[in-house]
Amino acid sequence: MSTLTTCSPASSTQGRRIEYITPRANLHHDGDGYTLELEMPGVAKDGVEITVEDGKLTLTGRRAEDQSFGRPVYRERSQNEYRRVFDLDPSIDTDKITASMSQGLLTVRLQKSEAVKPRKITVA
Amino acid sequence: MSIIRYRNPELATWSPYDRLSSLRDLLDSAFQLASNAPGNPESWAPALDIFEDEEKVTVRVELAGVKKEDFDISLQDDVLTISGERKAETEQRGSESFRSERYFGSFTRSVTLPSPVKADAVTAAYQDGVLTVTLPKAEEAKPRKIQVNLE
């Protein structure tokens, strides 16, 4: 069975190369589909963009403009955008993809199309 | 007033081990990195930033997916500690895991603040998985403007 496999984070097409952060991801599979979780701390609901094109699922997260907190004394956090691309399993019904964002955790539910869901057929 | 032997301050602080201590710090940080490497689910440490202006110190910590009630903030002297636990939510029975990169479990992160703060005026906000702790500076740490009259 083909699964959701990662592609490398795509770079910008404008020639100018943008460095993206690859968000940490967890992926669970059950009979009905997949649940994908991505960590995007600092990204609000309206900063998330999810697109499906050519069998690829692209997830982008943009941070809201950080207000100024003063002079940085010590920094570990990157300000770059989050981006990750997955190859979609053809069994996924792309019309039924749903997503929610809660405290920087993006959860995407990918349902399998009815035709491929496991079915129990009772013999009459 | 006690009498102490005069020591050249530059000479007094120099020790033959000083050069080694930076090497030791480097090694310590390498081991720290190794212990946080993927595959070690025992501990993780959230990334943080520290900012400072004339009025306050601001510490911002990335806690994506941690619930508000699952972490604690404490301040002792000039050390701020954020500790808590990230709990797995969607892990259901009967589902298989295809990819597991996120860290779960308890974490602790302590930082020494760059200047003294008013402990009773500390506030915190948690939004979009980022914790922002605002620590107003103690009066003695604020820069003062002294008017000098020129005659």
PDB file of all heavy atoms in Angstrom, chain A residues 81-107:
ATOM      1  N   GLU A  81       9.032  30.417   7.884  1.00  0.00           N
ATOM      2  CA  GLU A  81       7.755  29.732   7.687  1.00  0.00           C
ATOM      3  C   GLU A  81       7.938  28.229   7.849  1.00  0.00           C
ATOM      4  O   GLU A  81       9.013  27.699   7.593  1.00  0.00           O
ATOM      5  CB  GLU A  81       7.245  29.986   6.267  1.00  0.00           C
ATOM      6  CG  GLU A  81       6.664  31.355   6.087  1.00  0.00           C
ATOM      7  CD  GLU A  81       6.196  31.574   4.661  1.00  0.00           C
ATOM      8  OE1 GLU A  81       6.076  30.604   3.901  1.00  0.00           O
ATOM      9  OE2 GLU A  81       5.960  32.740   4.319  1.00  0.00           O
ATOM     10  N   TYR A  82       6.852  27.590   8.215  1.00  0.00           N
ATOM     11  CA  TYR A  82       6.849  26.131   8.262  1.00  0.00           C
ATOM     12  C   TYR A  82       6.339  25.615   6.927  1.00  0.00           C
ATOM     13  O   TYR A  82       5.430  26.200   6.335  1.00  0.00           O
ATOM     14  CB  TYR A  82       5.903  25.628   9.349  1.00  0.00           C
ATOM     15  CG  TYR A  82       6.262  26.041  10.754  1.00  0.00           C
ATOM     16  CD1 TYR A  82       5.706  27.178  11.321  1.00  0.00           C
ATOM     17  CD2 TYR A  82       7.136  25.277  11.518  1.00  0.00           C
ATOM     18  CE1 TYR A  82       6.012  27.545  12.622  1.00  0.00           C
ATOM     19  CE2 TYR A  82       7.439  25.642  12.808  1.00  0.00           C
ATOM     20  CZ  TYR A  82       6.880  26.770  13.369  1.00  0.00           C
ATOM     21  OH  TYR A  82       7.186  27.128  14.640  1.00  0.00           O
ATOM     22  N   ARG A  83       6.909  24.522   6.472  1.00  0.00           N
ATOM     23  CA  ARG A  83       6.407  23.954   5.229  1.00  0.00           C
ATOM     24  C   ARG A  83       6.760  22.477   5.163  1.00  0.00           C
ATOM     25  O   ARG A  83       7.881  22.065   5.489  1.00  0.00           O
ATOM     26  CB  ARG A  83       7.028  24.662   4.049  1.00  0.00           C
ATOM     27  CG  ARG A  83       6.421  24.270   2.708  1.00  0.00           C
ATOM     28  CD  ARG A  83       7.201  24.967   1.619  1.00  0.00           C
ATOM     29  NE  ARG A  83       6.870  24.447   0.311  1.00  0.00           N
ATOM     30  CZ  ARG A  83       5.988  24.999  -0.503  1.00  0.00           C
ATOM     31  NH1 ARG A  83       5.317  26.049  -0.129  1.00  0.00           N
ATOM     32  NH2 ARG A  83       5.770  24.488  -1.694  1.00  0.00           N
ATOM     33  N   ARG A  84       5.787  21.692   4.728  1.00  0.00           N
ATOM     34  CA  ARG A  84       6.050  20.282   4.553  1.00  0.00           C
ATOM     35  C   ARG A  84       5.134  19.732   3.461  1.00  0.00           C
ATOM     36  O   ARG A  84       3.976  20.125   3.377  1.00  0.00           O
ATOM     37  CB  ARG A  84       5.798  19.539   5.872  1.00  0.00           C
ATOM     38  CG  ARG A  84       6.549  18.249   5.906  1.00  0.00           C
ATOM     39  CD  ARG A  84       6.966  17.843   7.269  1.00  0.00           C
ATOM     40  NE  ARG A  84       7.536  16.505   7.170  1.00  0.00           N
ATOM     41  CZ  ARG A  84       7.999  15.821   8.168  1.00  0.00           C
ATOM     42  NH1 ARG A  84       7.968  16.319   9.371  1.00  0.00           N
ATOM     43  NH2 ARG A  84       8.495  14.622   7.986  1.00  0.00           N
ATOM     44  N   VAL A  85       5.693  18.859   2.650  1.00  0.00           N
ATOM     45  CA  VAL A  85       4.940  18.302   1.528  1.00  0.00           C
ATOM     46  C   VAL A  85       4.875  16.781   1.690  1.00  0.00           C
ATOM     47  O   VAL A  85       5.884  16.143   1.977  1.00  0.00           O
ATOM     48  CB  VAL A  85       5.610  18.667   0.178  1.00  0.00           C
ATOM     49  CG1 VAL A  85       4.765  18.184  -0.985  1.00  0.00           C
ATOM     50  CG2 VAL A  85       5.848  20.168   0.073  1.00  0.00           C
ATOM     51  N   PHE A  86       3.687  16.238   1.511  1.00  0.00           N
ATOM     52  CA  PHE A  86       3.500  14.790   1.586  1.00  0.00           C
ATOM     53  C   PHE A  86       2.912  14.283   0.280  1.00  0.00           C
ATOM     54  O   PHE A  86       2.069  14.955  -0.315  1.00  0.00           O
ATOM     55  CB  PHE A  86       2.538  14.433   2.726  1.00  0.00           C
ATOM     56  CG  PHE A  86       3.078  14.685   4.098  1.00  0.00           C
ATOM     57  CD1 PHE A  86       2.903  15.922   4.704  1.00  0.00           C
ATOM     58  CD2 PHE A  86       3.764  13.702   4.790  1.00  0.00           C
ATOM     59  CE1 PHE A  86       3.405  16.167   5.980  1.00  0.00           C
ATOM     60  CE2 PHE A  86       4.259  13.938   6.061  1.00  0.00           C
ATOM     61  CZ  PHE A  86       4.084  15.170   6.653  1.00  0.00           C
ATOM     62  N   ASP A  87       3.339  13.114  -0.125  1.00  0.00           N
ATOM     63  CA  ASP A  87       2.688  12.438  -1.251  1.00  0.00           C
ATOM     64  C   ASP A  87       1.418  11.811  -0.704  1.00  0.00           C
ATOM     65  O   ASP A  87       1.442  11.140   0.317  1.00  0.00           O
ATOM     66  CB  ASP A  87       3.597  11.329  -1.807  1.00  0.00           C
ATOM     67  CG  ASP A  87       4.689  11.903  -2.693  1.00  0.00           C
ATOM     68  OD1 ASP A  87       4.519  13.035  -3.163  1.00  0.00           O
ATOM     69  OD2 ASP A  87       5.702  11.221  -2.898  1.00  0.00           O
ATOM     70  N   LEU A  88       0.317  12.024  -1.400  1.00  0.00           N
ATOM     71  CA  LEU A  88      -0.950  11.501  -0.895  1.00  0.00           C
ATOM     72  C   LEU A  88      -1.198  10.086  -1.386  1.00  0.00           C
ATOM     73  O   LEU A  88      -0.988   9.770  -2.562  1.00  0.00           O
ATOM     74  CB  LEU A  88      -2.105  12.391  -1.355  1.00  0.00           C
ATOM     75  CG  LEU A  88      -2.425  13.617  -0.521  1.00  0.00           C
ATOM     76  CD1 LEU A  88      -3.613  14.340  -1.133  1.00  0.00           C
ATOM     77  CD2 LEU A  88      -2.720  13.233   0.910  1.00  0.00           C
ATOM     78  N   ASP A  89      -1.659   9.272  -0.493  1.00  0.00           N
ATOM     79  CA  ASP A  89      -2.122   7.942  -0.830  1.00  0.00           C
ATOM     80  C   ASP A  89      -3.330   8.107  -1.774  1.00  0.00           C
ATOM     81  O   ASP A  89      -4.248   8.861  -1.476  1.00  0.00           O
ATOM     82  CB  ASP A  89      -2.532   7.276   0.498  1.00  0.00           C
ATOM     83  CG  ASP A  89      -2.925   5.841   0.333  1.00  0.00           C
ATOM     84  OD1 ASP A  89      -3.411   5.478  -0.751  1.00  0.00           O
ATOM     85  OD2 ASP A  89      -2.763   5.083   1.288  1.00  0.00           O
ATOM     86  N   PRO A  90      -3.328   7.453  -2.933  1.00  0.00           N
ATOM     87  CA  PRO A  90      -4.452   7.639  -3.876  1.00  0.00           C
ATOM     88  C   PRO A  90      -5.805   7.234  -3.295  1.00  0.00           C
ATOM     89  O   PRO A  90      -6.855   7.636  -3.814  1.00  0.00           O
ATOM     90  CB  PRO A  90      -4.093   6.743  -5.059  1.00  0.00           C
ATOM     91  CG  PRO A  90      -2.720   6.247  -4.825  1.00  0.00           C
ATOM     92  CD  PRO A  90      -2.315   6.530  -3.437  1.00  0.00           C
ATOM     93  N   SER A  91      -5.794   6.452  -2.231  1.00  0.00           N
ATOM     94  CA  SER A  91      -7.075   6.031  -1.648  1.00  0.00           C
ATOM     95  C   SER A  91      -7.746   7.151  -0.859  1.00  0.00           C
ATOM     96  O   SER A  91      -8.887   7.025  -0.447  1.00  0.00           O
ATOM     97  CB  SER A  91      -6.852   4.824  -0.743  1.00  0.00           C
ATOM     98  OG  SER A  91      -6.129   5.204   0.409  1.00  0.00           O
ATOM     99  N   ILE A  92      -7.033   8.274  -0.643  1.00  0.00           N
ATOM    100  CA  ILE A  92      -7.604   9.354   0.159  1.00  0.00           C
ATOM    101  C   ILE A  92      -8.571  10.192  -0.667  1.00  0.00           C
ATOM    102  O   ILE A  92      -8.296  10.554  -1.803  1.00  0.00           O
ATOM    103  CB  ILE A  92      -6.482  10.236   0.749  1.00  0.00           C
ATOM    104  CG1 ILE A  92      -5.758   9.465   1.852  1.00  0.00           C
ATOM    105  CG2 ILE A  92      -7.030  11.549   1.308  1.00  0.00           C
ATOM    106  CD1 ILE A  92      -4.438  10.026   2.239  1.00  0.00           C
ATOM    107  N   ASP A  93      -9.714  10.451  -0.048  1.00  0.00           N
ATOM    108  CA  ASP A  93     -10.724  11.289  -0.680  1.00  0.00           C
ATOM    109  C   ASP A  93     -10.345  12.743  -0.398  1.00  0.00           C
ATOM    110  O   ASP A  93     -10.520  13.246   0.711  1.00  0.00           O
ATOM    111  CB  ASP A  93     -12.090  10.951  -0.060  1.00  0.00           C
ATOM    112  CG  ASP A  93     -13.225  11.663  -0.780  1.00  0.00           C
ATOM    113  OD1 ASP A  93     -12.949  12.648  -1.495  1.00  0.00           O
ATOM    114  OD2 ASP A  93     -14.371  11.225  -0.624  1.00  0.00           O
ATOM    115  N   THR A  94      -9.809  13.422  -1.430  1.00  0.00           N
ATOM    116  CA  THR A  94      -9.295  14.783  -1.207  1.00  0.00           C
ATOM    117  C   THR A  94     -10.397  15.796  -0.925  1.00  0.00           C
ATOM    118  O   THR A  94     -10.132  16.890  -0.460  1.00  0.00           O
ATOM    119  CB  THR A  94      -8.457  15.266  -2.414  1.00  0.00           C
ATOM    120  OG1 THR A  94      -9.219  15.073  -3.607  1.00  0.00           O
ATOM    121  CG2 THR A  94      -7.153  14.504  -2.532  1.00  0.00           C
ATOM    122  N   ASP A  95     -11.651  15.436  -1.211  1.00  0.00           N
ATOM    123  CA  ASP A  95     -12.752  16.348  -0.893  1.00  0.00           C
ATOM    124  C   ASP A  95     -13.111  16.313   0.584  1.00  0.00           C
ATOM    125  O   ASP A  95     -13.870  17.158   1.054  1.00  0.00           O
ATOM    126  CB  ASP A  95     -14.001  15.980  -1.708  1.00  0.00           C
ATOM    127  CG  ASP A  95     -13.773  16.214  -3.196  1.00  0.00           C
ATOM    128  OD1 ASP A  95     -13.015  17.152  -3.517  1.00  0.00           O
ATOM    129  OD2 ASP A  95     -14.335  15.457  -4.011  1.00  0.00           O
ATOM    130  N   LYS A  96     -12.594  15.326   1.268  1.00  0.00           N
ATOM    131  CA  LYS A  96     -13.013  15.160   2.669  1.00  0.00           C
ATOM    132  C   LYS A  96     -11.896  15.446   3.651  1.00  0.00           C
ATOM    133  O   LYS A  96     -11.923  14.960   4.781  1.00  0.00           O
ATOM    134  CB  LYS A  96     -13.529  13.729   2.874  1.00  0.00           C
ATOM    135  CG  LYS A  96     -14.940  13.547   2.378  1.00  0.00           C
ATOM    136  CD  LYS A  96     -15.444  12.189   2.748  1.00  0.00           C
ATOM    137  CE  LYS A  96     -16.823  11.948   2.164  1.00  0.00           C
ATOM    138  NZ  LYS A  96     -17.131  10.517   2.152  1.00  0.00           N
ATOM    139  N   ILE A  97     -10.896  16.213   3.221  1.00  0.00           N
ATOM    140  CA  ILE A  97      -9.797  16.530   4.139  1.00  0.00           C
ATOM    141  C   ILE A  97     -10.252  17.637   5.082  1.00  0.00           C
ATOM    142  O   ILE A  97     -10.765  18.671   4.651  1.00  0.00           O
ATOM    143  CB  ILE A  97      -8.525  16.957   3.360  1.00  0.00           C
ATOM    144  CG1 ILE A  97      -8.045  15.788   2.491  1.00  0.00           C
ATOM    145  CG2 ILE A  97      -7.416  17.392   4.315  1.00  0.00           C
ATOM    146  CD1 ILE A  97      -6.888  16.105   1.570  1.00  0.00           C
ATOM    147  N   THR A  98     -10.087  17.401   6.371  1.00  0.00           N
ATOM    148  CA  THR A  98     -10.445  18.427   7.354  1.00  0.00           C
ATOM    149  C   THR A  98      -9.228  18.713   8.219  1.00  0.00           C
ATOM    150  O   THR A  98      -8.347  17.878   8.366  1.00  0.00           O
ATOM    151  CB  THR A  98     -11.605  17.979   8.265  1.00  0.00           C
ATOM    152  OG1 THR A  98     -11.253  16.723   8.852  1.00  0.00           O
ATOM    153  CG2 THR A  98     -12.904  17.828   7.501  1.00  0.00           C
ATOM    154  N   ALA A  99      -9.176  19.918   8.788  1.00  0.00           N
ATOM    155  CA  ALA A  99      -8.031  20.287   9.611  1.00  0.00           C
ATOM    156  C   ALA A  99      -8.476  21.176  10.748  1.00  0.00           C
ATOM    157  O   ALA A  99      -9.469  21.888  10.655  1.00  0.00           O
ATOM    158  CB  ALA A  99      -6.992  21.013   8.765  1.00  0.00           C
ATOM    159  N   SER A 100      -7.732  21.096  11.842  1.00  0.00           N
ATOM    160  CA  SER A 100      -7.986  21.996  12.961  1.00  0.00           C
ATOM    161  C   SER A 100      -6.656  22.435  13.543  1.00  0.00           C
ATOM    162  O   SER A 100      -5.646  21.755  13.416  1.00  0.00           O
ATOM    163  CB  SER A 100      -8.832  21.300  14.032  1.00  0.00           C
ATOM    164  OG  SER A 100      -8.118  20.227  14.590  1.00  0.00           O
ATOM    165  N   MET A 101      -6.677  23.618  14.154  1.00  0.00           N
ATOM    166  CA  MET A 101      -5.461  24.196  14.717  1.00  0.00           C
ATOM    167  C   MET A 101      -5.722  24.521  16.177  1.00  0.00           C
ATOM    168  O   MET A 101      -6.691  25.195  16.507  1.00  0.00           O
ATOM    169  CB  MET A 101      -5.139  25.480  13.935  1.00  0.00           C
ATOM    170  CG  MET A 101      -3.793  26.072  14.224  1.00  0.00           C
ATOM    171  SD  MET A 101      -2.491  25.067  13.501  1.00  0.00           S
ATOM    172  CE  MET A 101      -1.055  26.044  13.886  1.00  0.00           C
ATOM    173  N   SER A 102      -4.865  23.997  17.044  1.00  0.00           N
ATOM    174  CA  SER A 102      -5.042  24.264  18.462  1.00  0.00           C
ATOM    175  C   SER A 102      -3.684  24.415  19.124  1.00  0.00           C
ATOM    176  O   SER A 102      -2.873  23.494  19.097  1.00  0.00           O
ATOM    177  CB  SER A 102      -5.826  23.111  19.092  1.00  0.00           C
ATOM    178  OG  SER A 102      -5.759  23.173  20.491  1.00  0.00           O
ATOM    179  N   GLN A 103      -3.440  25.564  19.701  1.00  0.00           N
ATOM    180  CA  GLN A 103      -2.173  25.882  20.385  1.00  0.00           C
ATOM    181  C   GLN A 103      -0.952  25.412  19.581  1.00  0.00           C
ATOM    182  O   GLN A 103      -0.088  24.684  20.076  1.00  0.00           O
ATOM    183  CB  GLN A 103      -2.144  25.290  21.808  1.00  0.00           C
ATOM    184  CG  GLN A 103      -3.093  25.956  22.786  1.00  0.00           C
ATOM    185  CD  GLN A 103      -2.759  27.419  23.092  1.00  0.00           C
ATOM    186  OE1 GLN A 103      -1.913  28.036  22.457  1.00  0.00           O
ATOM    187  NE2 GLN A 103      -3.462  27.985  24.062  1.00  0.00           N
ATOM    188  N   GLY A 104      -0.908  25.825  18.341  1.00  0.00           N
ATOM    189  CA  GLY A 104       0.259  25.545  17.508  1.00  0.00           C
ATOM    190  C   GLY A 104       0.351  24.128  16.986  1.00  0.00           C
ATOM    191  O   GLY A 104       1.340  23.769  16.364  1.00  0.00           O
ATOM    192  N   LEU A 105      -0.665  23.325  17.244  1.00  0.00           N
ATOM    193  CA  LEU A 105      -0.676  21.954  16.740  1.00  0.00           C
ATOM    194  C   LEU A 105      -1.741  21.825  15.646  1.00  0.00           C
ATOM    195  O   LEU A 105      -2.925  21.995  15.912  1.00  0.00           O
ATOM    196  CB  LEU A 105      -0.957  20.965  17.875  1.00  0.00           C
ATOM    197  CG  LEU A 105      -0.927  19.491  17.466  1.00  0.00           C
ATOM    198  CD1 LEU A 105       0.489  19.045  17.124  1.00  0.00           C
ATOM    199  CD2 LEU A 105      -1.479  18.612  18.576  1.00  0.00           C
ATOM    200  N   LEU A 106      -1.271  21.534  14.436  1.00  0.00           N
ATOM    201  CA  LEU A 106      -2.183  21.372  13.301  1.00  0.00           C
ATOM    202  C   LEU A 106      -2.525  19.889  13.162  1.00  0.00           C
ATOM    203  O   LEU A 106      -1.625  19.046  13.078  1.00  0.00           O
ATOM    204  CB  LEU A 106      -1.515  21.890  12.027  1.00  0.00           C
ATOM    205  CG  LEU A 106      -2.279  21.703  10.713  1.00  0.00           C
ATOM    206  CD1 LEU A 106      -3.549  22.533  10.687  1.00  0.00           C
ATOM    207  CD2 LEU A 106      -1.396  22.073   9.524  1.00  0.00           C
ATOM    208  N   THR A 107      -3.810  19.588  13.196  1.00  0.00           N
ATOM    209  CA  THR A 107      -4.255  18.202  13.059  1.00  0.00           C
ATOM    210  C   THR A 107      -5.049  18.081  11.765  1.00  0.00           C
ATOM    211  O   THR A 107      -6.031  18.794  11.573  1.00  0.00           O
ATOM    212  CB  THR A 107      -5.117  17.784  14.264  1.00  0.00           C
ATOM    213  OG1 THR A 107      -4.378  18.048  15.460  1.00  0.00           O
ATOM    214  CG2 THR A 107      -5.452  16.306  14.219  1.00  0.00           C
TER     215      THR A 107
END
